[in-house]
Amino acid sequence: MPKKTPPGPRDEKGVLSGRILAAARDEFATHGWAGTTLRAIARSADVDPALIYHYFGSKEGLLDAATTPPQRWLDGVAATWNTAPDELGSALLRLMLSAWADDEIGPVLRAVLLTAAHEESTREKLRRIVEGSLMGVSRLGADDRDRAVRSGLISSQMMGLALMRYVWRVEPIASMTDDELVGAVAPNLQRYVEGELTAEPTSQHVD
């Protein structure tokens, strides 16, 4: 009869690493890189500190894992940019709202935004995510600059809304329904998709 392997960290890796990552996101977002210790994370996750080294190798490795968005979210962003242009503003906004409501994606996005405010490597990661995954896959515009301007304005609007609604929880934005937000915000995003972005210069009458 085969010998049964006793239960241990190997069998519980998914559960334990998930607890460590959740605790790390809260600690890094609240205290920053310098103010966060692996012992504090281990205490919050109720695990032995040695497990953090076992799963993530170092504090740097843990920070990177805790602030890396799931690939399924990045794939979803790329797919949504292929939406028909006349529906793109609404589609992008609904994707953002659903991502923040997701139990796996939302906490990562929150950790990235908060940690980037006071941690350089995460700030650089956020810049890469925005420029590469949020803007870089866009096909908008007449040329590269027009594409970058349009997708950048769309991303700035959605990130600002995310901060107001999910991080700072400013009312009434925080308690509006998804449909209310889409009705109010999507038309502005749609202007960035296909509208005129530069105002015509006004002539000045000189007496």
Side-chain angles (χ1 to χ4, degrees):
M1 184 176 179
K3 186 177 179 181
K4 186 177 180 180
T5 303
R10 181 184 298 273
D11 302 315
E12 302 171 356
K13 179 177 180 180
V15 174
L16 292 177
S17 63
R19 283 187 1 216
I20 292 169
L21 286 172
R25 288 175 188 129
D26 286 343
E27 290 289 328
F28 284 128
T30 303
H31 303 292
W33 170 262
T36 296
T37 67
L38 295 186
R39 286 190 176 278
I41 293 172
R43 185 165 54 249
S44 178
D46 193 24
V47 299
D48 189 307
L51 282 179
I52 297 179
Y53 290 100
H54 177 69
Y55 293 149
F56 302 101
S58 64
K59 185 177 177 182
E60 290 84 357
L62 178 57
L63 174 67
D64 183 57
T67 56
T68 296
Q71 186 60 45
R72 67 182 177 91
W73 176 67
L74 299 176
D75 292 342
V77 173
T80 303
W81 276 109
N82 291 319
T83 302
D86 60 344
E87 300 176 355
L88 184 55
S90 176
L92 288 169
L93 184 55
R94 287 196 180 278
L95 177 72
M96 186 213 80
L97 295 171
S98 65
W100 278 88
D102 186 279
D103 290 340
E104 179 188 11
I105 301 172
V108 179
L109 298 180
R110 180 180 182 276
V112 171
L113 287 180
L114 289 175
T115 306
H118 41 60
E119 205 288 306
E120 185 175 353
S121 68
T122 305
R123 187 160 55 249
E124 175 62 18
K125 176 185 284 189
L126 176 60
R127 185 188 65 77
R128 292 197 307 270
I129 291 171
V130 172
E131 291 184 351
S133 299
L134 301 187
M135 295 168 53
V137 293
S138 163
R139 294 182 174 86
L140 298 178
D143 53 37
D144 284 345
R145 173 168 172 74
D146 192 30
R147 176 193 61 77
V149 169
R150 290 177 184 276
S151 56
L153 288 170
I154 290 170
S155 297
S156 70
Q157 292 283 297
M158 293 198 297
M159 291 178 68
L161 177 60
L163 285 169
M164 291 277 286
R165 181 173 174 83
Y166 298 106
V167 178
W168 302 328
R169 300 185 183 278
V170 176
E171 295 291 354
I173 304 301
S175 58
M176 291 174 69
T177 67
D178 286 2
D179 287 342
E180 287 174 331
L181 286 171
V182 170
V185 178
N188 197 41
L189 299 185
Q190 196 60 38
R191 185 175 74 86
Y192 296 146
V193 171
E194 54 190 356
E196 182 65 44
L197 300 184
T198 57
E200 291 293 332
T202 58
S203 59
Q204 294 184 347
H205 177 70
V206 179
D207 293 328

PDB file of all heavy atoms in Angstrom, residues 2 8-9 11 13 15 27 36 40 47-48 56 65 77 91-92 100 111-112 120 126 153-154 162 185 187 195-196 207:
ATOM      1  N   PRO A   2       0.674   2.184  -0.935  1.00  0.00           N
ATOM      2  CA  PRO A   2       1.550   3.364  -0.977  1.00  0.00           C
ATOM      3  C   PRO A   2       1.445   4.186   0.293  1.00  0.00           C
ATOM      4  O   PRO A   2       0.385   4.310   0.883  1.00  0.00           O
ATOM      5  CB  PRO A   2       1.037   4.152  -2.175  1.00  0.00           C
ATOM      6  CG  PRO A   2      -0.220   3.497  -2.636  1.00  0.00           C
ATOM      7  CD  PRO A   2      -0.369   2.204  -1.918  1.00  0.00           C
ATOM      8  N   GLY A   8       0.837  19.211   4.474  1.00  0.00           N
ATOM      9  CA  GLY A   8       1.809  20.232   4.851  1.00  0.00           C
ATOM     10  C   GLY A   8       1.756  21.390   3.894  1.00  0.00           C
ATOM     11  O   GLY A   8       0.852  21.511   3.075  1.00  0.00           O
ATOM     12  N   PRO A   9       2.753  22.276   3.969  1.00  0.00           N
ATOM     13  CA  PRO A   9       2.765  23.463   3.128  1.00  0.00           C
ATOM     14  C   PRO A   9       2.648  23.177   1.639  1.00  0.00           C
ATOM     15  O   PRO A   9       2.060  23.936   0.901  1.00  0.00           O
ATOM     16  CB  PRO A   9       4.106  24.121   3.467  1.00  0.00           C
ATOM     17  CG  PRO A   9       4.397  23.673   4.859  1.00  0.00           C
ATOM     18  CD  PRO A   9       3.854  22.281   4.939  1.00  0.00           C
ATOM     19  N   ASP A  11       0.901  20.858   0.139  1.00  0.00           N
ATOM     20  CA  ASP A  11      -0.496  20.616  -0.208  1.00  0.00           C
ATOM     21  C   ASP A  11      -1.324  21.882  -0.088  1.00  0.00           C
ATOM     22  O   ASP A  11      -2.355  22.019  -0.734  1.00  0.00           O
ATOM     23  CB  ASP A  11      -1.090  19.531   0.699  1.00  0.00           C
ATOM     24  CG  ASP A  11      -0.311  18.232   0.613  1.00  0.00           C
ATOM     25  OD1 ASP A  11       0.010  17.827  -0.516  1.00  0.00           O
ATOM     26  OD2 ASP A  11      -0.006  17.646   1.665  1.00  0.00           O
ATOM     27  N   LYS A  13      -0.229  25.030  -0.655  1.00  0.00           N
ATOM     28  CA  LYS A  13       0.497  26.171  -1.212  1.00  0.00           C
ATOM     29  C   LYS A  13      -0.441  27.246  -1.755  1.00  0.00           C
ATOM     30  O   LYS A  13      -0.235  28.440  -1.509  1.00  0.00           O
ATOM     31  CB  LYS A  13       1.445  25.713  -2.312  1.00  0.00           C
ATOM     32  CG  LYS A  13       2.210  26.885  -2.939  1.00  0.00           C
ATOM     33  CD  LYS A  13       3.209  26.423  -3.978  1.00  0.00           C
ATOM     34  CE  LYS A  13       3.947  27.625  -4.564  1.00  0.00           C
ATOM     35  NZ  LYS A  13       4.935  27.229  -5.587  1.00  0.00           N
ATOM     36  N   VAL A  15      -3.489  28.026  -0.928  1.00  0.00           N
ATOM     37  CA  VAL A  15      -4.177  28.744   0.146  1.00  0.00           C
ATOM     38  C   VAL A  15      -3.206  29.645   0.895  1.00  0.00           C
ATOM     39  O   VAL A  15      -3.483  30.830   1.146  1.00  0.00           O
ATOM     40  CB  VAL A  15      -4.844  27.749   1.121  1.00  0.00           C
ATOM     41  CG1 VAL A  15      -5.425  28.488   2.324  1.00  0.00           C
ATOM     42  CG2 VAL A  15      -5.925  26.952   0.407  1.00  0.00           C
ATOM     43  N   GLU A  27      -0.219  45.525   3.487  1.00  0.00           N
ATOM     44  CA  GLU A  27       0.928  46.105   4.183  1.00  0.00           C
ATOM     45  C   GLU A  27       1.682  47.084   3.281  1.00  0.00           C
ATOM     46  O   GLU A  27       2.015  48.193   3.701  1.00  0.00           O
ATOM     47  CB  GLU A  27       1.867  44.996   4.666  1.00  0.00           C
ATOM     48  CG  GLU A  27       1.322  44.147   5.795  1.00  0.00           C
ATOM     49  CD  GLU A  27       1.261  44.901   7.110  1.00  0.00           C
ATOM     50  OE1 GLU A  27       2.110  45.783   7.344  1.00  0.00           O
ATOM     51  OE2 GLU A  27       0.347  44.600   7.916  1.00  0.00           O
ATOM     52  N   THR A  36       7.311  48.275   5.578  1.00  0.00           N
ATOM     53  CA  THR A  36       6.744  46.927   5.589  1.00  0.00           C
ATOM     54  C   THR A  36       7.839  45.905   5.877  1.00  0.00           C
ATOM     55  O   THR A  36       8.902  45.946   5.264  1.00  0.00           O
ATOM     56  CB  THR A  36       6.081  46.601   4.239  1.00  0.00           C
ATOM     57  OG1 THR A  36       4.985  47.485   4.037  1.00  0.00           O
ATOM     58  CG2 THR A  36       5.575  45.171   4.208  1.00  0.00           C
ATOM     59  N   ALA A  40       5.894  41.278   9.679  1.00  0.00           N
ATOM     60  CA  ALA A  40       4.548  41.835   9.812  1.00  0.00           C
ATOM     61  C   ALA A  40       3.586  41.171   8.839  1.00  0.00           C
ATOM     62  O   ALA A  40       2.431  40.882   9.182  1.00  0.00           O
ATOM     63  CB  ALA A  40       4.588  43.343   9.577  1.00  0.00           C
ATOM     64  N   VAL A  47       1.227  32.975   9.140  1.00  0.00           N
ATOM     65  CA  VAL A  47       2.106  31.928   8.626  1.00  0.00           C
ATOM     66  C   VAL A  47       3.505  32.132   9.203  1.00  0.00           C
ATOM     67  O   VAL A  47       3.828  33.199   9.729  1.00  0.00           O
ATOM     68  CB  VAL A  47       2.193  31.958   7.081  1.00  0.00           C
ATOM     69  CG1 VAL A  47       0.819  31.739   6.464  1.00  0.00           C
ATOM     70  CG2 VAL A  47       2.823  33.244   6.579  1.00  0.00           C
ATOM     71  N   ASP A  48       4.327  31.121   9.074  1.00  0.00           N
ATOM     72  CA  ASP A  48       5.734  31.223   9.466  1.00  0.00           C
ATOM     73  C   ASP A  48       6.455  32.101   8.453  1.00  0.00           C
ATOM     74  O   ASP A  48       6.283  31.935   7.239  1.00  0.00           O
ATOM     75  CB  ASP A  48       6.356  29.820   9.486  1.00  0.00           C
ATOM     76  CG  ASP A  48       7.749  29.816  10.096  1.00  0.00           C
ATOM     77  OD1 ASP A  48       8.599  30.604   9.636  1.00  0.00           O
ATOM     78  OD2 ASP A  48       7.984  29.036  11.018  1.00  0.00           O
ATOM     79  N   PHE A  56       8.290  32.986  -2.268  1.00  0.00           N
ATOM     80  CA  PHE A  56       8.546  34.207  -3.043  1.00  0.00           C
ATOM     81  C   PHE A  56      10.019  34.607  -3.090  1.00  0.00           C
ATOM     82  O   PHE A  56      10.362  35.526  -3.829  1.00  0.00           O
ATOM     83  CB  PHE A  56       7.702  35.360  -2.485  1.00  0.00           C
ATOM     84  CG  PHE A  56       6.231  35.069  -2.509  1.00  0.00           C
ATOM     85  CD1 PHE A  56       5.563  34.681  -1.360  1.00  0.00           C
ATOM     86  CD2 PHE A  56       5.512  35.151  -3.695  1.00  0.00           C
ATOM     87  CE1 PHE A  56       4.210  34.391  -1.372  1.00  0.00           C
ATOM     88  CE2 PHE A  56       4.160  34.872  -3.723  1.00  0.00           C
ATOM     89  CZ  PHE A  56       3.499  34.485  -2.561  1.00  0.00           C
ATOM     90  N   ALA A  65       5.140  39.949  -6.938  1.00  0.00           N
ATOM     91  CA  ALA A  65       3.995  39.042  -7.058  1.00  0.00           C
ATOM     92  C   ALA A  65       2.704  39.708  -6.595  1.00  0.00           C
ATOM     93  O   ALA A  65       1.639  39.515  -7.187  1.00  0.00           O
ATOM     94  CB  ALA A  65       4.251  37.769  -6.250  1.00  0.00           C
ATOM     95  N   VAL A  77      -8.437  43.160 -21.253  1.00  0.00           N
ATOM     96  CA  VAL A  77      -8.226  44.532 -21.735  1.00  0.00           C
ATOM     97  C   VAL A  77      -7.907  44.528 -23.218  1.00  0.00           C
ATOM     98  O   VAL A  77      -8.491  45.287 -24.008  1.00  0.00           O
ATOM     99  CB  VAL A  77      -7.096  45.216 -20.940  1.00  0.00           C
ATOM    100  CG1 VAL A  77      -6.765  46.572 -21.566  1.00  0.00           C
ATOM    101  CG2 VAL A  77      -7.492  45.399 -19.479  1.00  0.00           C
ATOM    102  N   ALA A  91     -17.779  49.759 -23.408  1.00  0.00           N
ATOM    103  CA  ALA A  91     -17.166  48.451 -23.166  1.00  0.00           C
ATOM    104  C   ALA A  91     -15.959  48.552 -22.247  1.00  0.00           C
ATOM    105  O   ALA A  91     -15.775  47.738 -21.332  1.00  0.00           O
ATOM    106  CB  ALA A  91     -16.775  47.809 -24.497  1.00  0.00           C
ATOM    107  N   LEU A  92     -15.101  49.555 -22.469  1.00  0.00           N
ATOM    108  CA  LEU A  92     -13.927  49.732 -21.625  1.00  0.00           C
ATOM    109  C   LEU A  92     -14.324  50.064 -20.189  1.00  0.00           C
ATOM    110  O   LEU A  92     -13.727  49.564 -19.224  1.00  0.00           O
ATOM    111  CB  LEU A  92     -13.040  50.838 -22.191  1.00  0.00           C
ATOM    112  CG  LEU A  92     -12.272  50.492 -23.474  1.00  0.00           C
ATOM    113  CD1 LEU A  92     -11.650  51.750 -24.070  1.00  0.00           C
ATOM    114  CD2 LEU A  92     -11.193  49.443 -23.200  1.00  0.00           C
ATOM    115  N   TRP A 100     -12.682  45.746 -10.962  1.00  0.00           N
ATOM    116  CA  TRP A 100     -12.571  46.186  -9.579  1.00  0.00           C
ATOM    117  C   TRP A 100     -13.513  45.408  -8.663  1.00  0.00           C
ATOM    118  O   TRP A 100     -13.258  45.284  -7.460  1.00  0.00           O
ATOM    119  CB  TRP A 100     -12.828  47.683  -9.467  1.00  0.00           C
ATOM    120  CG  TRP A 100     -11.615  48.490  -9.791  1.00  0.00           C
ATOM    121  CD1 TRP A 100     -11.219  48.934 -11.014  1.00  0.00           C
ATOM    122  CD2 TRP A 100     -10.607  48.926  -8.869  1.00  0.00           C
ATOM    123  NE1 TRP A 100     -10.035  49.624 -10.915  1.00  0.00           N
ATOM    124  CE2 TRP A 100      -9.644  49.636  -9.611  1.00  0.00           C
ATOM    125  CE3 TRP A 100     -10.444  48.794  -7.496  1.00  0.00           C
ATOM    126  CZ2 TRP A 100      -8.518  50.206  -9.019  1.00  0.00           C
ATOM    127  CZ3 TRP A 100      -9.326  49.361  -6.898  1.00  0.00           C
ATOM    128  CH2 TRP A 100      -8.377  50.052  -7.654  1.00  0.00           C
ATOM    129  N   ALA A 111      -3.848  47.570  -4.746  1.00  0.00           N
ATOM    130  CA  ALA A 111      -2.486  47.538  -4.204  1.00  0.00           C
ATOM    131  C   ALA A 111      -1.512  48.258  -5.124  1.00  0.00           C
ATOM    132  O   ALA A 111      -0.621  48.982  -4.659  1.00  0.00           O
ATOM    133  CB  ALA A 111      -2.046  46.090  -3.990  1.00  0.00           C
ATOM    134  N   VAL A 112      -1.660  48.074  -6.427  1.00  0.00           N
ATOM    135  CA  VAL A 112      -0.759  48.728  -7.376  1.00  0.00           C
ATOM    136  C   VAL A 112      -0.892  50.239  -7.279  1.00  0.00           C
ATOM    137  O   VAL A 112       0.109  50.970  -7.187  1.00  0.00           O
ATOM    138  CB  VAL A 112      -1.046  48.249  -8.808  1.00  0.00           C
ATOM    139  CG1 VAL A 112      -0.265  49.096  -9.812  1.00  0.00           C
ATOM    140  CG2 VAL A 112      -0.674  46.789  -8.978  1.00  0.00           C
ATOM    141  N   GLU A 120       9.062  53.204  -5.807  1.00  0.00           N
ATOM    142  CA  GLU A 120       9.501  53.493  -7.176  1.00  0.00           C
ATOM    143  C   GLU A 120       9.321  52.328  -8.130  1.00  0.00           C
ATOM    144  O   GLU A 120       8.867  52.520  -9.265  1.00  0.00           O
ATOM    145  CB  GLU A 120      10.970  53.928  -7.164  1.00  0.00           C
ATOM    146  CG  GLU A 120      11.471  54.364  -8.530  1.00  0.00           C
ATOM    147  CD  GLU A 120      12.892  54.899  -8.478  1.00  0.00           C
ATOM    148  OE1 GLU A 120      13.438  55.054  -7.372  1.00  0.00           O
ATOM    149  OE2 GLU A 120      13.443  55.168  -9.562  1.00  0.00           O
ATOM    150  N   LEU A 126       3.479  50.287 -12.734  1.00  0.00           N
ATOM    151  CA  LEU A 126       2.202  50.890 -13.098  1.00  0.00           C
ATOM    152  C   LEU A 126       2.324  51.630 -14.426  1.00  0.00           C
ATOM    153  O   LEU A 126       1.438  51.539 -15.284  1.00  0.00           O
ATOM    154  CB  LEU A 126       1.725  51.836 -11.997  1.00  0.00           C
ATOM    155  CG  LEU A 126       0.432  52.613 -12.275  1.00  0.00           C
ATOM    156  CD1 LEU A 126      -0.728  51.651 -12.516  1.00  0.00           C
ATOM    157  CD2 LEU A 126       0.114  53.547 -11.117  1.00  0.00           C
ATOM    158  N   LEU A 153      -5.960  59.535 -22.636  1.00  0.00           N
ATOM    159  CA  LEU A 153      -7.061  60.263 -22.007  1.00  0.00           C
ATOM    160  C   LEU A 153      -8.109  59.294 -21.467  1.00  0.00           C
ATOM    161  O   LEU A 153      -8.648  59.488 -20.370  1.00  0.00           O
ATOM    162  CB  LEU A 153      -7.686  61.223 -23.017  1.00  0.00           C
ATOM    163  CG  LEU A 153      -6.836  62.447 -23.368  1.00  0.00           C
ATOM    164  CD1 LEU A 153      -7.448  63.193 -24.550  1.00  0.00           C
ATOM    165  CD2 LEU A 153      -6.693  63.378 -22.166  1.00  0.00           C
ATOM    166  N   ILE A 154      -8.409  58.245 -22.212  1.00  0.00           N
ATOM    167  CA  ILE A 154      -9.352  57.232 -21.737  1.00  0.00           C
ATOM    168  C   ILE A 154      -8.848  56.589 -20.458  1.00  0.00           C
ATOM    169  O   ILE A 154      -9.582  56.442 -19.469  1.00  0.00           O
ATOM    170  CB  ILE A 154      -9.580  56.167 -22.827  1.00  0.00           C
ATOM    171  CG1 ILE A 154     -10.370  56.760 -23.983  1.00  0.00           C
ATOM    172  CG2 ILE A 154     -10.316  54.957 -22.255  1.00  0.00           C
ATOM    173  CD1 ILE A 154     -10.442  55.861 -25.204  1.00  0.00           C
ATOM    174  N   ALA A 162     -11.658  55.117 -10.830  1.00  0.00           N
ATOM    175  CA  ALA A 162     -11.359  53.996  -9.931  1.00  0.00           C
ATOM    176  C   ALA A 162     -10.890  54.495  -8.562  1.00  0.00           C
ATOM    177  O   ALA A 162     -11.290  53.960  -7.522  1.00  0.00           O
ATOM    178  CB  ALA A 162     -10.300  53.090 -10.560  1.00  0.00           C
ATOM    179  N   VAL A 185     -20.466  58.551 -17.673  1.00  0.00           N
ATOM    180  CA  VAL A 185     -19.047  58.663 -18.018  1.00  0.00           C
ATOM    181  C   VAL A 185     -18.726  58.157 -19.427  1.00  0.00           C
ATOM    182  O   VAL A 185     -17.863  58.712 -20.109  1.00  0.00           O
ATOM    183  CB  VAL A 185     -18.182  57.900 -16.976  1.00  0.00           C
ATOM    184  CG1 VAL A 185     -16.702  57.964 -17.342  1.00  0.00           C
ATOM    185  CG2 VAL A 185     -18.414  58.462 -15.580  1.00  0.00           C
ATOM    186  N   PRO A 187     -20.127  58.470 -22.355  1.00  0.00           N
ATOM    187  CA  PRO A 187     -20.127  59.426 -23.466  1.00  0.00           C
ATOM    188  C   PRO A 187     -18.846  60.250 -23.558  1.00  0.00           C
ATOM    189  O   PRO A 187     -18.388  60.586 -24.662  1.00  0.00           O
ATOM    190  CB  PRO A 187     -21.346  60.315 -23.162  1.00  0.00           C
ATOM    191  CG  PRO A 187     -22.260  59.435 -22.372  1.00  0.00           C
ATOM    192  CD  PRO A 187     -21.348  58.606 -21.520  1.00  0.00           C
ATOM    193  N   GLY A 195     -14.098  61.425 -31.256  1.00  0.00           N
ATOM    194  CA  GLY A 195     -14.452  62.827 -31.392  1.00  0.00           C
ATOM    195  C   GLY A 195     -13.267  63.715 -31.706  1.00  0.00           C
ATOM    196  O   GLY A 195     -12.110  63.284 -31.758  1.00  0.00           O
ATOM    197  N   GLU A 196     -13.554  64.985 -31.893  1.00  0.00           N
ATOM    198  CA  GLU A 196     -12.519  65.991 -32.138  1.00  0.00           C
ATOM    199  C   GLU A 196     -11.912  66.382 -30.792  1.00  0.00           C
ATOM    200  O   GLU A 196     -12.630  66.739 -29.862  1.00  0.00           O
ATOM    201  CB  GLU A 196     -13.135  67.208 -32.814  1.00  0.00           C
ATOM    202  CG  GLU A 196     -12.136  68.289 -33.153  1.00  0.00           C
ATOM    203  CD  GLU A 196     -11.122  67.835 -34.196  1.00  0.00           C
ATOM    204  OE1 GLU A 196     -11.533  67.211 -35.185  1.00  0.00           O
ATOM    205  OE2 GLU A 196      -9.925  68.106 -33.996  1.00  0.00           O
ATOM    206  N   ASP A 207      -8.865  96.139 -32.037  1.00  0.00           N
ATOM    207  CA  ASP A 207      -9.346  97.479 -32.439  1.00  0.00           C
ATOM    208  C   ASP A 207      -8.172  98.325 -32.908  1.00  0.00           C
ATOM    209  O   ASP A 207      -7.072  98.241 -32.393  1.00  0.00           O
ATOM    210  CB  ASP A 207     -10.042  98.155 -31.275  1.00  0.00           C
ATOM    211  CG  ASP A 207     -11.344  97.426 -30.906  1.00  0.00           C
ATOM    212  OD1 ASP A 207     -11.982  96.859 -31.823  1.00  0.00           O
ATOM    213  OD2 ASP A 207     -11.694  97.422 -29.715  1.00  0.00           O
TER     214      ASP A 207
END
